Protein backbone atom coordinates (compact mmCIF):
# COMPACT_ATOMS: atom_id res chain seq x y z
CA UNK A 1 0.00 0.00 0.00
CA UNK A 2 1.21 3.49 -0.87
CA UNK A 3 0.88 5.68 2.19
CA UNK A 4 -0.94 8.95 1.70
CA UNK A 5 0.12 12.15 3.47
CA UNK A 6 -1.39 12.94 6.86
CA UNK A 7 -3.37 16.15 6.72
CA UNK A 8 -3.99 17.92 10.05
CA UNK A 9 -5.84 21.07 9.10
CA UNK A 10 -3.38 23.12 7.03
CA UNK A 11 -0.44 21.05 8.25
CA UNK A 12 0.77 18.34 5.87
CA UNK A 13 2.98 15.40 6.91
CA UNK A 14 4.41 13.37 4.00
CA UNK A 15 3.77 10.00 5.65
CA UNK A 16 0.97 9.24 8.14
CA UNK A 17 3.57 8.39 10.78
CA UNK A 18 3.99 10.23 14.06
CA UNK A 19 6.98 9.38 16.25
CA UNK A 20 5.76 8.96 19.81
CA UNK A 21 7.09 11.25 22.52
CA UNK A 22 9.40 9.40 24.92
CA UNK A 23 10.84 10.77 28.13
CA UNK A 24 12.97 11.38 30.00
CA UNK A 25 15.27 12.54 27.22
CA UNK A 26 14.65 9.71 24.74
CA UNK A 27 12.99 11.88 22.09
CA UNK A 28 14.42 15.35 22.04
CA UNK A 29 15.63 17.53 19.17
CA UNK A 30 17.96 15.06 17.43
CA UNK A 31 15.38 12.30 17.03
CA UNK A 32 12.33 14.49 16.43
CA UNK A 33 14.18 16.63 13.89
CA UNK A 34 15.38 13.58 11.96
CA UNK A 35 11.88 12.06 11.85
CA UNK A 36 10.33 15.24 10.49
CA UNK A 37 13.19 15.69 8.01
CA UNK A 38 12.44 12.19 6.68
CA UNK A 39 8.72 12.66 6.15
CA UNK A 40 7.15 11.86 9.51
CA UNK A 41 6.08 14.07 12.39
CA UNK A 42 8.78 14.21 15.06
CA UNK A 43 7.65 14.64 18.65
CA UNK A 44 9.76 15.96 21.54
CA UNK A 45 8.89 14.76 25.03
CA UNK A 46 8.90 17.61 27.54
CA UNK A 47 9.11 15.25 30.55
CA UNK A 48 12.12 16.56 32.51
CA UNK A 49 13.54 17.62 29.14
CA UNK A 50 16.17 19.79 30.81
CA UNK A 51 17.62 16.99 32.93
CA UNK A 52 21.14 17.73 31.63
CA UNK A 53 20.95 21.52 31.89
CA UNK A 54 23.45 23.06 34.39
CA UNK A 55 20.75 24.45 36.69
CA UNK A 56 18.42 21.41 36.65
CA UNK A 57 19.32 20.31 40.18
CA UNK A 58 18.48 23.74 41.59
CA UNK A 59 15.43 24.68 39.52
CA UNK A 60 13.83 21.89 37.48
CA UNK A 61 11.01 23.95 36.02
CA UNK A 62 13.19 26.76 34.71
CA UNK A 63 15.68 24.27 33.26
CA UNK A 64 12.84 22.42 31.55
CA UNK A 65 11.19 25.55 30.16
CA UNK A 66 14.53 26.70 28.76
CA UNK A 67 15.15 23.25 27.26
CA UNK A 68 11.73 23.24 25.59
CA UNK A 69 12.68 26.37 23.65
CA UNK A 70 16.16 25.05 22.89
CA UNK A 71 15.09 21.64 21.61
CA UNK A 72 12.17 22.87 19.52
CA UNK A 73 14.53 25.35 17.81
CA UNK A 74 17.18 22.65 17.23
CA UNK A 75 14.62 20.15 15.94
CA UNK A 76 13.20 22.66 13.47
CA UNK A 77 16.70 23.39 12.22
CA UNK A 78 17.38 19.68 11.68
CA UNK A 79 13.96 19.22 10.05
CA UNK A 80 14.53 22.06 7.62
CA UNK A 81 11.48 23.92 8.85
CA UNK A 82 9.12 20.96 8.67
CA UNK A 83 6.55 20.61 11.49
CA UNK A 84 7.72 19.62 14.98
CA UNK A 85 5.46 18.57 17.83
CA UNK A 86 5.73 18.05 21.57
CA UNK A 87 4.20 15.60 24.00
CA UNK A 88 3.26 17.13 27.34
CA UNK A 89 1.89 14.95 30.13
CA UNK A 90 -1.18 16.34 31.90
CA UNK A 91 0.30 14.91 35.11
CA UNK A 92 3.25 17.33 34.80
CA UNK A 93 3.59 19.77 37.67
CA UNK A 94 2.82 23.29 36.35
CA UNK A 95 1.39 21.78 33.16
CA UNK A 96 0.04 25.16 31.89
CA UNK A 97 3.55 26.68 31.95
CA UNK A 98 4.91 23.82 29.82
CA UNK A 99 2.12 24.20 27.25
CA UNK A 100 2.66 27.95 27.02
CA UNK A 101 6.42 27.48 26.66
CA UNK A 102 5.90 25.02 23.80
CA UNK A 103 3.51 27.44 22.07
CA UNK A 104 5.91 30.37 22.53
CA UNK A 105 8.75 28.25 21.15
CA UNK A 106 6.79 27.57 17.97
CA UNK A 107 5.62 23.99 18.41
CA UNK A 108 3.34 23.06 15.52
CA UNK A 109 1.56 20.30 17.46
CA UNK A 110 0.89 19.46 21.10
CA UNK A 111 -0.11 15.91 22.00
CA UNK A 112 -1.22 15.47 25.60
CA UNK A 113 -1.99 12.41 27.71
CA UNK A 114 -1.20 10.81 31.12
CA UNK A 115 -4.49 12.33 32.22
CA UNK A 116 -7.19 14.13 30.26
CA UNK A 117 -6.10 17.57 28.95
CA UNK A 118 -9.44 19.23 29.68
CA UNK A 119 -7.96 22.77 29.80
CA UNK A 120 -5.49 22.47 26.91
CA UNK A 121 -7.42 24.82 24.56
CA UNK A 122 -7.34 27.52 27.24
CA UNK A 123 -3.57 27.30 27.62
CA UNK A 124 -2.95 27.29 23.86
CA UNK A 125 -5.35 30.16 23.22
CA UNK A 126 -5.44 31.53 19.67
CA UNK A 127 -1.97 30.27 18.76
CA UNK A 128 -1.58 28.42 15.47
CA UNK A 129 -0.75 25.14 17.20
CA UNK A 130 -2.61 21.88 16.57
CA UNK A 131 -3.79 20.08 19.71
CA UNK A 132 -4.59 16.42 20.29
CA UNK A 133 -5.64 14.50 23.39
CA UNK A 134 -4.50 10.93 23.92
CA UNK A 135 -7.47 8.67 24.62
CA UNK A 136 -7.83 4.92 25.12
CA UNK A 137 -11.61 4.53 25.04
CA UNK A 138 -14.77 5.83 23.40
CA UNK A 139 -15.82 7.16 26.80
CA UNK A 140 -12.65 9.26 27.12
CA UNK A 141 -12.99 10.56 23.54
CA UNK A 142 -16.58 11.66 24.15
CA UNK A 143 -15.63 13.27 27.45
CA UNK A 144 -12.77 15.22 25.89
CA UNK A 145 -14.54 16.43 22.76
CA UNK A 146 -17.76 17.25 24.62
CA UNK A 147 -15.77 19.21 27.21
CA UNK A 148 -13.82 21.24 24.63
CA UNK A 149 -17.00 21.84 22.64
CA UNK A 150 -19.02 23.14 25.58
CA UNK A 151 -16.30 25.07 27.40
CA UNK A 152 -14.21 26.43 24.53
CA UNK A 153 -16.38 26.07 21.40
CA UNK A 154 -13.43 24.18 19.93
CA UNK A 155 -12.61 20.63 18.97
CA UNK A 156 -9.47 18.55 18.63
CA UNK A 157 -7.27 18.94 15.57
CA UNK A 158 -6.66 15.19 15.76
CA UNK A 159 -6.98 12.30 18.22
CA UNK A 160 -4.35 9.79 19.32
CA UNK A 161 -5.73 6.43 20.45
CA UNK A 162 -3.20 4.72 22.67
CA UNK A 163 -3.82 1.00 22.87
CA UNK A 164 -2.87 -1.69 25.38
CA UNK A 165 0.38 -2.62 23.60
CA UNK A 166 1.96 0.81 24.02
CA UNK A 167 4.91 1.58 26.27
CA UNK A 168 5.17 4.15 29.04
CA UNK A 169 2.12 5.23 31.03
CA UNK A 170 -1.01 3.43 29.86
CA UNK A 171 -4.64 4.51 29.98
CA UNK A 172 -5.82 1.11 31.18
CA UNK A 173 -6.13 -0.57 34.53
CA UNK A 174 -3.72 -3.45 35.08
CA UNK A 175 -6.50 -6.05 34.92
CA UNK A 176 -7.71 -4.58 31.61
CA UNK A 177 -4.26 -5.04 30.08
CA UNK A 178 -4.45 -8.76 30.86
CA UNK A 179 -7.96 -9.29 29.48
CA UNK A 180 -8.50 -7.00 26.50
CA UNK A 181 -8.47 -8.78 23.13
CA UNK A 182 -7.42 -7.47 19.73
CA UNK A 183 -11.04 -7.59 18.55
CA UNK A 184 -12.27 -5.61 21.57
CA UNK A 185 -9.58 -2.98 21.05
CA UNK A 186 -10.30 -2.68 17.33
CA UNK A 187 -14.02 -2.34 18.05
CA UNK A 188 -13.15 0.49 20.44
CA UNK A 189 -11.05 2.15 17.72
CA UNK A 190 -14.02 2.11 15.33
CA UNK A 191 -16.25 3.67 18.01
CA UNK A 192 -13.72 6.44 18.64
CA UNK A 193 -13.48 7.11 14.89
CA UNK A 194 -17.26 7.62 14.83
CA UNK A 195 -16.98 10.09 17.74
CA UNK A 196 -14.32 12.01 15.78
CA UNK A 197 -16.58 12.07 12.72
CA UNK A 198 -19.49 13.42 14.76
CA UNK A 199 -17.52 16.35 16.11
CA UNK A 200 -15.75 16.85 12.78
CA UNK A 201 -19.13 17.31 11.11
CA UNK A 202 -20.19 19.80 13.77
CA UNK A 203 -17.06 21.89 13.24
CA UNK A 204 -16.95 21.29 9.47
CA UNK A 205 -13.45 19.86 9.60
CA UNK A 206 -11.69 16.54 9.39
CA UNK A 207 -10.45 15.23 12.76
CA UNK A 208 -7.76 12.65 11.89
CA UNK A 209 -7.51 9.63 14.17
CA UNK A 210 -4.07 8.22 14.95
CA UNK A 211 -3.55 4.70 16.33
CA UNK A 212 -0.69 4.11 18.78
CA UNK A 213 0.60 1.01 20.53
CA UNK A 214 1.95 -2.15 18.96
CA UNK A 215 2.61 -0.66 15.50
CA UNK A 216 5.84 -2.28 14.32
CA UNK A 217 6.07 -2.39 10.52
CA UNK A 218 4.50 -1.37 7.21
CA UNK A 219 1.98 -4.20 7.43
CA UNK A 220 0.81 -2.94 10.85
CA UNK A 221 0.43 0.57 9.44
CA UNK A 222 -1.67 -0.74 6.56
CA UNK A 223 -3.86 -2.68 8.99
CA UNK A 224 -4.37 0.41 11.15
CA UNK A 225 -5.41 2.41 8.09
CA UNK A 226 -7.81 -0.38 7.06
CA UNK A 227 -9.62 0.09 10.39
CA UNK A 228 -10.40 3.65 9.34
CA UNK A 229 -7.51 5.44 11.04
CA UNK A 230 -5.70 8.28 9.29
CA UNK A 231 -2.26 7.51 10.64
CA UNK A 232 -0.18 5.80 13.31
CA UNK A 233 2.08 6.75 16.18
CA UNK A 234 5.21 4.64 16.67
CA UNK A 235 7.66 4.97 19.55
CA UNK A 236 9.77 1.89 20.38
CA UNK A 237 11.14 1.43 16.87
CA UNK A 238 12.62 4.91 16.97
CA UNK A 239 14.65 4.13 20.09
CA UNK A 240 16.80 1.74 18.03
CA UNK A 241 17.96 4.50 15.68
CA UNK A 242 21.27 6.29 15.34
CA UNK A 243 19.58 9.62 15.98
CA UNK A 244 17.69 8.65 19.16
CA UNK A 245 18.74 10.97 21.98
CA UNK A 246 19.29 8.17 24.52
CA UNK A 247 22.63 6.68 25.53
CA UNK A 248 23.86 3.82 23.32
CA UNK A 249 23.50 1.38 26.23
CA UNK A 250 19.80 2.25 26.44
CA UNK A 251 19.39 1.47 22.73
CA UNK A 252 21.27 -1.79 23.17
CA UNK A 253 18.86 -2.79 25.96
CA UNK A 254 16.11 -2.64 23.32
CA UNK A 255 18.15 -4.76 20.92
CA UNK A 256 18.82 -7.37 23.60
CA UNK A 257 15.28 -7.45 24.96
CA UNK A 258 13.06 -10.50 24.60
CA UNK A 259 9.31 -10.73 25.00
CA UNK A 260 9.68 -12.44 28.37
CA UNK A 261 11.75 -9.49 29.67
CA UNK A 262 8.71 -7.19 29.64
CA UNK A 263 6.94 -6.36 32.90
CA UNK A 264 3.94 -4.21 33.80
CA UNK A 265 5.05 -1.80 36.54
CA UNK A 266 3.14 0.82 38.49
CA UNK A 267 4.11 4.46 38.20
CA UNK A 268 4.39 6.41 41.48
CA UNK A 269 1.11 8.11 40.55
CA UNK A 270 -0.74 4.82 40.12
CA UNK A 271 -0.63 4.37 36.34
CA UNK A 272 0.52 1.04 34.90
CA UNK A 273 3.40 1.08 32.43
CA UNK A 274 5.26 -1.47 30.33
CA UNK A 275 8.97 -1.70 31.08
CA UNK A 276 11.97 -4.03 30.91
CA UNK A 277 12.49 -6.23 33.96
CA UNK A 278 15.95 -5.28 35.21
CA UNK A 279 17.60 -4.92 38.61
CA UNK A 280 15.63 -1.74 39.33
CA UNK A 281 12.23 -3.29 38.56
CA UNK A 282 13.07 -6.36 40.66
CA UNK A 283 13.96 -4.07 43.58
CA UNK A 284 10.75 -2.02 43.51
CA UNK A 285 8.72 -5.23 43.32
CA UNK A 286 10.16 -6.27 46.68
CA UNK A 287 10.03 -3.00 48.59
CA UNK A 288 9.75 0.78 48.13
CA UNK A 289 12.91 2.74 47.39
CA UNK A 290 12.96 5.80 49.67
CA UNK A 291 12.88 9.13 47.82
CA UNK A 292 15.72 11.30 49.12
CA UNK A 293 14.83 14.39 47.08
CA UNK A 294 11.98 15.63 44.90
CA UNK A 295 12.49 16.67 41.28
CA UNK A 296 9.06 18.36 41.03
CA UNK A 297 7.93 16.34 38.04
CA UNK A 298 4.39 15.10 38.69
CA UNK A 299 1.50 17.11 40.10
CA UNK A 300 0.05 14.37 42.29
CA UNK A 301 3.27 12.79 43.51
CA UNK A 302 3.94 12.76 47.26
CA UNK A 303 7.63 11.87 47.79
CA UNK A 304 6.88 10.56 51.28
CA UNK A 305 4.40 8.00 49.99
CA UNK A 306 5.51 6.91 46.50
CA UNK A 307 7.41 3.61 46.03
CA UNK A 308 10.25 5.22 44.04
CA UNK A 309 11.29 8.41 42.25
CA UNK A 310 10.35 8.08 38.59
CA UNK A 311 12.49 11.04 37.51
CA UNK A 312 15.64 9.55 39.03
CA UNK A 313 14.83 6.15 37.52
CA UNK A 314 14.25 7.56 34.03
CA UNK A 315 17.32 9.81 34.11
CA UNK A 316 19.49 6.88 35.18
CA UNK A 317 18.17 4.93 32.20
CA UNK A 318 18.62 7.62 29.53
CA UNK A 319 22.19 8.16 30.74
CA UNK A 320 22.93 4.47 30.22
CA UNK A 321 22.60 3.00 33.73
CA UNK A 322 20.27 0.35 32.38
CA UNK A 323 20.23 -1.83 35.51
CA UNK A 324 19.31 0.98 37.91
CA UNK A 325 16.92 2.86 35.66
CA UNK A 326 13.37 2.48 34.39
CA UNK A 327 13.24 1.49 30.71
CA UNK A 328 9.77 1.86 29.23
CA UNK A 329 9.09 -0.29 26.14
CA UNK A 330 6.28 -1.21 23.79
CA UNK A 331 4.92 -4.76 23.55
CA UNK A 332 6.91 -5.57 20.39
CA UNK A 333 10.35 -4.57 21.68
CA UNK A 334 11.48 -8.20 21.38
CA UNK A 335 11.22 -7.93 17.59
CA UNK A 336 13.80 -5.14 17.35
CA UNK A 337 17.14 -6.61 16.29
CA UNK A 338 19.38 -3.77 15.11
CA UNK A 339 20.05 -0.06 15.18
CA UNK A 340 19.33 1.77 11.93
CA UNK A 341 19.16 5.37 10.80
CA UNK A 342 15.86 7.24 10.96
CA UNK A 343 16.08 7.51 7.16
CA UNK A 344 16.22 3.72 6.82
CA UNK A 345 13.44 3.14 9.35
CA UNK A 346 11.10 5.68 7.76
CA UNK A 347 11.68 4.12 4.34
CA UNK A 348 10.92 0.66 5.75
CA UNK A 349 7.76 1.86 7.49
CA UNK A 350 6.62 3.64 4.34
CA UNK A 351 7.15 0.45 2.31
CA UNK A 352 9.98 1.94 0.28
CA UNK A 353 13.63 1.22 -0.34
CA UNK A 354 15.96 3.49 1.62
CA UNK A 355 18.25 5.62 -0.51
CA UNK A 356 21.86 5.12 0.51
CA UNK A 357 23.29 8.47 1.55
CA UNK A 358 27.02 8.99 1.13
CA UNK A 359 28.99 11.51 3.14
Amino acid sequence: MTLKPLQIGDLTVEYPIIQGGMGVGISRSRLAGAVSANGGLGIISTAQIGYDEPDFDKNQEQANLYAIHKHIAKAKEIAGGKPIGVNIMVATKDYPAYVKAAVDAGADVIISGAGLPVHLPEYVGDADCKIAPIVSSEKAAILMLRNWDKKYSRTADFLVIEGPQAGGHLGFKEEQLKKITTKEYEDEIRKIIEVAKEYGEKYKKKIPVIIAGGIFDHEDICHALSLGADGVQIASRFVATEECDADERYKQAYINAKKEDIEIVMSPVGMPGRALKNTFVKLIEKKPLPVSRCFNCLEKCNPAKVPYCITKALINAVRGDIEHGLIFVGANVGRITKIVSVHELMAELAGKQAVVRHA
Side-chain angles (χ1 to χ4, degrees):
M1 176 191 290
T2 300
L3 302 184
K4 296 179 181 178
L6 173 62
Q7 196 70 39
I8 305 173
D10 58 358
L11 187 154
T12 303
V13 182
E14 183 181 355
Y15 300 122
I17 300 170
I18 297 175
Q19 161 252 311
M22 297 171 283
V24 169
I26 309 301
S27 63
R28 296 199 296 181
S29 50
R30 190 161 179 252
L31 176 58
V35 172
S36 288
N38 284 279
L41 177 57
I43 303 294
I44 294 168
S45 168
T46 66
Q48 301 290 49
I49 185 173
Y51 78 92
D52 56 354
E53 295 295 331
D55 59 340
F56 179 78
D57 284 342
K58 295 179 180 178
N59 191 328
Q60 290 83 37
E61 182 176 342
Q62 287 305 310
N64 289 332
L65 296 179
Y66 168 77
I68 287 171
H69 283 263
K70 181 175 85 172
H71 284 285
I72 288 176
K74 281 187 174 182
K76 288 204 164 193
E77 183 180 349
I78 294 168
K82 291 182 178 179
I84 293 291
V86 296
N87 180 295
I88 308 177
M89 297 193 303
V90 179
T92 302
K93 188 169 285 190
D94 297 319
Y95 172 72
Y98 285 68
V99 172
K100 291 171 183 176
V103 170
D104 290 344
D108 299 286
V109 167
I110 293 176
I111 297 172
S112 205
L116 294 176
V118 291
H119 301 297
L120 182 56
E122 176 184 337
Y123 305 144
V124 170
D126 296 329
D128 185 19
C129 178
K130 313 301 181 191
I131 56 175
I134 297 175
V135 298
S136 295
S137 67
E138 178 192 23
K139 181 180 178 180
I142 292 171
L143 177 63
M144 281 306 313
L145 297 188
R146 182 184 291 162
N147 175 281
W148 286 6
D149 176 37
K150 289 184 176 181
K151 193 168 185 178
Y152 302 106
S153 298
R154 180 172 181 174
T155 195
D157 293 298
F158 63 106
L159 289 179
V160 177
I161 306 175
E162 193 168 80
Q165 290 191 310
H169 290 106
L170 300 168
F172 298 85
K173 294 179 180 178
E174 192 170 3
E175 55 267 27
Q176 289 178 306
L177 293 173
K178 296 174 182 177
K179 294 179 180 178
I180 192 167
T181 66
T182 299
K183 183 183 183 304
E184 287 172 335
Y185 172 51
E186 292 185 352
D187 286 345
E188 199 71 16
I189 288 171
R190 294 185 181 97
K191 291 175 184 176
I192 295 172
I193 289 172
E194 289 306 310
V195 174
K197 285 179 180 177
E198 177 188 340
Y199 281 87
E201 288 170 4
K202 178 171 183 176
Y203 282 86
K204 296 181 171 56
K205 63 184 284 185
K206 166 74 174 175
I207 302 177
V209 175
I210 310 301
I211 294 179
I215 310 295
F216 188 85
D217 54 22
H218 181 72
E219 185 178 338
D220 292 334
I221 295 172
C222 294
H223 179 66
L225 298 178
S226 75
L227 296 174
D230 301 281
V232 298
Q233 179 176 282
I234 301 173
S236 292
R237 297 270 341 245
F238 286 102
V239 172
T241 60
E242 295 163 4
E243 294 90 344
C244 175
D245 294 273
D247 186 273
E248 291 303 311
R249 288 166 291 186
Y250 188 102
K251 301 177 190 182
Q252 202 59 46
Y254 268 57
I255 302 298
N256 296 336
K258 299 178 178 62
K259 186 177 181 180
E260 53 268 30
D261 297 327
I262 299 172
E263 184 98 350
I264 298 297
V265 300
M266 292 305 295
S267 162
V269 289
M271 291 180 177
R274 183 174 281 106
L276 289 183
K277 188 167 186 176
N278 57 4
T279 300
F280 174 78
V281 169
K282 291 174 185 176
L283 283 173
I284 61 173
E285 285 177 342
K286 292 179 181 177
K287 63 179 182 178
L289 298 179
V291 178
S292 58
R293 61 167 301 189
C294 178
F295 290 93
N296 300 301
C297 60
L298 300 175
E299 188 64 50
K300 296 181 180 180
C301 179
N302 182 342
K305 295 182 178 180
V306 295
Y308 63 93
C309 174
I310 193 167
T311 284
K312 187 174 186 297
L314 292 172
I315 290 176
N316 283 349
V318 73
R319 284 178 166 160
D321 188 353
I322 60 172
E323 283 303 318
H324 301 97
L326 183 61
I327 303 175
F328 280 135
V329 296
N332 287 318
V333 67
R335 296 172 61 188
I336 299 174
T337 59
K338 62 180 179 178
I339 294 174
V340 298
S341 69
V342 166
H343 175 69
E344 291 173 292
L345 177 56
M346 285 298 298
E348 178 204 321
L349 294 172
K352 297 184 175 182
Q353 184 71 38
V355 176
V356 178
R357 294 180 174 177
H358 300 284

